[in-house]
Amino acid sequence: MTETVLHPGLVLIAGALALPALRGALRATFVVALPLAALWLVWQVGDGALWQLRFLDFELTPLHGDKLSRLFGTIFALMAAGGGLYALGQESRVELPAAFVYAGAAIGAAFAGDLITLFVFWELMAVGSTLVVWSGGTHASYRASMRYLMIHLLGGVILLAGITGHITQTGSVAFASMKLDAASNWLILIGFLINAAATPVSAWLPDAYPEASWSGMVFLSAFTTKTAVYALIRGFPGTELLVWLGLAMVFYGIVYALLESDMRRILAYSIVNQSGFMLAGVGIGTETALNGAAANAFTGVIYVALLVMAAGAVLRMTGRRDCADLGGLLRSMPLTAACAAIGALAISAFPFTAGFVSKSMISQAAADGRMLAVWLLLGAGSAGVVLHAGLKFPWLVFFGRDSGLRPAEAPASMRWAMIFFAFLSIALGIWFEPLYALLPYAVDYAPYTAAHVLTQTQLLLFSALAFLVALPHLRRARTITLDIDWIYRRALPRATAVCAALIDRAMGAASHAVRTFLSRAAALIYRFHGPHAELARTWTTRGMALWVLVLLIGYLVLYFV
């Protein structure tokens, strides 16, 4: 093995394993300092292969750096630091270590130079994230974690099958751009798409993430889907299928978020929606589009986490998560409301926020490529984001009808984490040059042109007007939304039960028929061969000789005729 720097992901994982032994101020310091140390190590990783080792006659590269890897490594380390600060008050002794293993595995995947290393970190992410969901400590979180694990183990098996086939066909373990010209590459793509929560397998995300604790969902919002976006940028840039899958995710997230009344499920569907924009950028495949997908992944981690933090603060201080039970919290939680409003503006791509300087690159790439339908759909999707994440969530929770609740502001560590991410959401929208310098390709794009600012402002104002018009009809009612997971959570178990009952009846009928047949056959045999039957009685020699004569005569007749 060649080693020039410490691996930032492994350092974070090793520190996570030591975390349960710490207490008090030392633990709090370690929780924030460890991800910052990993962030510093991310920037010590230069270009090219830094670690190499032999495994099964293959040359593995566990640490390989370039601009794309450093971009994702940076935001993952920042997220671990901000999430750790937010979760300092978390009483679970499992959640933070699991979250840091999860974050370290995401950083490891971002710096993986080969498919085998990628798979190892990919599966370690599944273990860490499952423990984060399970740490919610409720029966619902336990059941959700088991379903979550089931989906990700399935995705891991598919990914492993694809990697094995790819290595067999090409003889190479290098993680580089691939074409959909072989079944193995299709399997790799499917494995990536499952983690990206791509339609039609998006339901695992809103099923599992909202069941985590008030702090657990903050970590979950950042790593799994964004690591999948990184893998797609690296492995399948320019794959047209991703454009349409991404657009399907955009509108899937909008429709379900608008139907939802649970604030955490609204934000979970927003994560799917935002991942859809990124997949569309990867599918367009130009340098501008890939830069836009990477930039949107970077900023999306920040502003989505900010929204999830605001929702987590409300959940912790009120114990409620359904919008029907909330409202008017601005009066007692003004700081949380302000941070939620900044996150809502950023996710809506409002000018001078992080979302504006990143998401617009994808739309511009579609326009440059003369992809009119894609450009129009991306615009419509942006308007939909304003409706559910930009307006519905903050309005129902912090404004609107007063619920009478007067919770205090969240503890200081949670407030400082929200302030930090709110600052980044605005700072990156104003001073975007440092972000653009991190992107994998040279940026030839100016976000603040008069045409773009005017177009986006008009779109936002139109969406706000539509929301105000619909506001009188926006009822605070608890809703149940049926998603694809209904098939394997409800329909398949019921279908299995019906099939089992039918099979049981069929087996019972067959068993009865066999028993009846055997009983009648036994009776028939007994009739002729029983102790008192005709064939069982004693025959005289004369009688036997007569029957032998009859048989002989019959044989002769048949023979001569």
Side-chain angles (χ1 to χ4, degrees):
M1 176 191 295
T2 13
E3 178 178 345
T4 56
V5 295
L6 291 174
H7 194 301
L10 294 180
V11 167
L12 191 54
I13 292 170
L17 299 179
L19 191 57
L22 304 179
R23 295 291 185 275
L26 178 60
R27 177 180 181 271
T29 303
F30 190 76
V31 164
V32 178
L34 180 62
L36 294 179
L39 176 61
W40 182 79
L41 288 173
V42 164
W43 283 95
Q44 306 312 304
V45 178
D47 290 343
L50 287 99
W51 285 21
Q52 289 185 314
L53 57 88
R54 298 288 299 178
F55 176 74
L56 298 178
D57 295 328
F58 294 112
E59 191 78 20
L60 304 188
T61 311
L63 185 60
H64 182 280
D66 60 15
K67 295 186 73 173
L68 184 64
S69 297
R70 282 191 294 275
L71 175 77
F72 278 85
T74 297
I75 191 55
F76 290 158
L78 275 174
M79 183 64 234
L85 176 62
Y86 183 83
L88 282 180
Q90 176 56 250
E91 296 179 357
S92 170
R93 307 303 297 178
V94 175
E95 182 176 292
L96 261 178
F100 278 9
V101 169
Y102 181 28
I107 294 174
F111 283 104
D114 63 89
L115 290 168
I116 294 176
T117 302
L118 175 72
F119 176 76
V120 171
F121 283 117
W122 197 270
E123 291 303 283
L124 191 57
M125 283 175 55
V127 174
S129 54
T130 299
L131 288 175
V132 171
V133 178
W134 176 79
S135 297
T138 64
H139 181 64
S141 65
Y142 168 75
R143 290 175 61 86
S145 69
M146 293 300 101
R147 293 190 296 268
Y148 178 90
L149 182 62
M150 175 187 70
I151 292 294
H152 286 276
L153 289 179
L154 172 63
V157 169
I158 293 172
L159 179 60
L160 179 60
I163 289 173
T164 303
H166 178 81
I167 294 173
T168 302
Q169 292 168 0
T170 65
S172 172
V173 297
F175 183 26
S177 177
M178 293 170 273
K179 301 294 183 183
L180 294 178
D181 54 1
S184 58
N185 292 353
W186 275 99
L187 291 175
I188 292 174
L189 176 63
I190 292 170
F192 290 166
L193 290 175
I194 289 175
N195 270 30
T199 304
V201 288
S202 305
W204 63 261
L205 194 154
D207 173 42
Y209 283 12
E211 301 305 330
S213 71
W214 53 267
S215 56
M217 188 174 172
V218 174
F219 294 101
L220 293 167
S221 70
F223 300 120
T224 299
T225 53
K226 305 311 180 293
T227 304
V229 170
Y230 160 80
L232 291 168
I233 294 174
R234 179 80 72 190
F236 296 95
T239 301
E240 186 179 357
L241 173 65
L242 296 179
V243 176
W244 306 109
L245 280 177
L247 290 172
M249 292 169 66
V250 167
F251 290 99
Y252 162 88
I254 291 170
V255 170
Y256 273 93
L258 289 174
L259 293 173
E260 268 295 339
S261 65
D262 184 319
M263 64 177 178
R264 281 160 63 93
R265 285 179 63 86
I266 291 172
L267 296 179
Y269 282 114
S270 296
I271 295 171
V272 178
N273 167 270
Q274 293 301 296
S275 296
F277 284 101
M278 300 168 206
L279 259 67
V282 177
I284 294 171
T286 62
E287 290 188 357
T288 300
L290 295 176
N291 277 341
N296 202 16
F298 190 99
T299 59
V301 167
I302 294 169
Y303 55 69
V304 170
L306 178 58
L307 289 168
V308 175
M309 285 178 178
V314 170
L315 176 62
R316 185 179 185 189
M317 302 311 295
T318 66
R320 305 181 186 187
R321 50 187 263 191
D322 199 296
C323 293
D325 300 325
L326 299 168
L329 299 187
L330 172 67
R331 294 170 175 80
S332 60
M333 301 181 75
L335 177 64
T336 304
C339 290
I342 292 172
L345 291 174
I347 199 173
S348 303
F350 194 83
F352 306 108
T353 65
F356 180 82
V357 301
S358 58
K359 197 178 296 182
S360 59
M361 298 178 73
I362 300 173
S363 297
Q364 186 61 48
D368 292 343
R370 300 180 183 276
M371 304 171 72
L372 178 60
V374 174
W375 182 81
L376 290 173
L377 289 171
L378 287 172
S382 297
V385 173
V386 179
L387 292 176
H388 68 81
L391 292 172
K392 179 182 177 180
F393 161 65
W395 177 266
L396 293 180
V397 174
F398 297 102
F399 306 96
R401 181 176 61 81
D402 188 3
S403 62
L405 298 174
R406 293 295 180 268
E409 284 283 8
S413 62
M414 298 173 68
R415 296 200 303 270
W416 280 112
M418 288 189 288
I419 290 170
F420 174 58
F421 277 76
F423 168 76
L424 289 178
S425 295
I426 296 174
L428 289 173
I430 299 173
W431 299 290
F432 54 86
E433 291 84 359
L435 172 62
Y436 284 6
L438 296 177
L439 298 178
Y441 302 102
V443 178
D444 182 19
Y445 174 71
Y448 289 106
T449 62
H452 180 219
V453 172
L454 181 61
T455 301
Q456 186 65 13
T457 304
Q458 289 176 332
L459 184 67
L460 294 172
L461 291 175
F462 174 79
S463 301
L465 177 62
F467 180 80
L468 291 174
V469 170
L471 190 57
H473 307 286
L474 192 62
R475 298 179 179 178
R476 293 174 176 269
R478 291 177 177 83
T479 59
I480 298 176
T481 52
L482 298 183
D483 207 331
I484 297 296
D485 62 335
W486 180 85
I487 295 175
Y488 58 83
R489 290 180 60 181
R490 298 294 184 185
L492 286 181
R494 290 177 182 177
T496 303
V498 170
C499 290
L502 291 175
I503 292 172
D504 187 59
R505 287 186 181 183
M507 293 293 291
S511 176
H512 177 72
V514 170
R515 286 197 303 269
T516 301
F517 171 78
L518 292 177
S519 176
R520 291 179 178 178
L524 184 63
I525 293 172
Y526 186 84
R527 176 182 173 187
F528 290 100
H529 296 278
H532 304 292
E534 185 70 17
L535 296 178
R537 70 181 179 83
T538 301
W539 290 67
T540 63
T541 304
R542 183 176 60 184
M544 291 297 297
L546 178 62
W547 280 111
V548 169
L549 178 61
V550 170
L551 290 174
L552 178 60
I553 293 172
Y555 173 76
L556 291 174
V557 170
L558 292 174
Y559 178 79
F560 287 107
V561 173

